[in-house]
Amino acid sequence: MKKQNLRSLAIGMLLSACIIASFYLYQDNNKQEQNTLNISNATTYLQREGFTVLTEAEYTDLQTKLEESTQNQTKPNAGANKEEQEEPKEEKKETYSYTLKITSGMSISTIAELLFNENIVKDQEEFETYLIDNDYHTKIQVGSFRLTSDMSYKKIAETLTE
């Protein structure tokens, strides 16, 4: 290449870089001007969209009023809450008792169903899962077993495998 052609190419590249840079900078400034939002524009926009706009002083005033009203509501109800808490203590959980007779060939699902129907266990599937997960399902013995609803799954499983 000749010296003059090389200079022309360099000037062309420099000129195109300047043009691209000026468009890039102009577009950036234009976008920033569009995105600039002042307080009055924001307030009118929010009110138009259905929001309520408060100043800092109005907000703190509302917060203090809210705290005062909740404190006033909890004071008269404090005695009522104590009475409500005592009521469940008065109700005693009814204990069920059942003699389970296990015969040869009974499945754990049948045993769990019988215990559920007699209110010894609260959840049939949960009890079956407990027996399987803790390997009691293979150790259950044939016989009669006295069980109560106060017994834990572990205690029932230990009783059935003795």
Side-chain angles (χ1 to χ4, degrees), residues 15-78:
L15 183 62
S16 62
C18 289
I19 292 172
I20 292 172
S22 65
F23 277 114
Y24 177 74
L25 293 174
Y26 174 73
Q27 292 294 330
D28 244 4
N29 288 338
N30 194 16
K31 287 181 182 177
Q32 287 177 355
E33 289 173 4
Q34 289 176 352
N35 291 336
T36 308
L37 192 62
N38 59 23
I39 294 174
S40 64
N41 288 344
T43 304
T44 55
Y45 175 76
L46 289 172
Q47 288 173 344
R48 190 177 45 220
E49 293 296 318
F51 293 95
T52 303
V53 180
L54 300 175
T55 62
E56 186 79 26
E58 293 172 330
Y59 179 73
T60 54
D61 186 41
L62 283 175
Q63 288 289 69
T64 55
K65 287 180 182 178
L66 178 66
E67 290 173 3
E68 289 173 1
S69 66
T70 55
Q71 288 175 355
N72 290 339
Q73 288 177 355
T74 56
K75 287 180 181 177
N77 292 338

Side-chain angles (χ1 to χ4, degrees), residues 76-91:
N77 292 338
N81 286 342
K82 290 179 183 177
E83 292 172 5
E84 289 176 6
Q85 291 174 355
E86 291 175 7
E87 286 180 16
K89 292 179 182 177
E90 293 174 7
E91 296 177 18

Side-chain angles (χ1 to χ4, degrees), residues 94-142:
E94 191 171 336
T95 303
Y96 297 97
S97 181
Y98 178 66
T99 302
L100 176 66
K101 295 179 184 175
I102 299 178
T103 59
S104 180
M106 279 181 87
S107 66
I108 59 166
S109 58
T110 306
I111 295 169
E113 182 180 356
L114 288 170
L115 294 177
F116 176 73
N117 291 339
E118 295 298 326
N119 296 322
I120 303 299
V121 294
K122 294 176 185 168
D123 188 354
Q124 176 181 345
E125 292 178 11
E126 186 179 334
F127 183 65
E128 286 180 47
T129 305
Y130 177 82
L131 291 175
I132 293 169
D133 289 346
N134 295 295
D135 293 325
Y136 287 113
H137 68 289
T138 58
K139 302 173 186 173
I140 294 177
Q141 301 294 316
V142 175

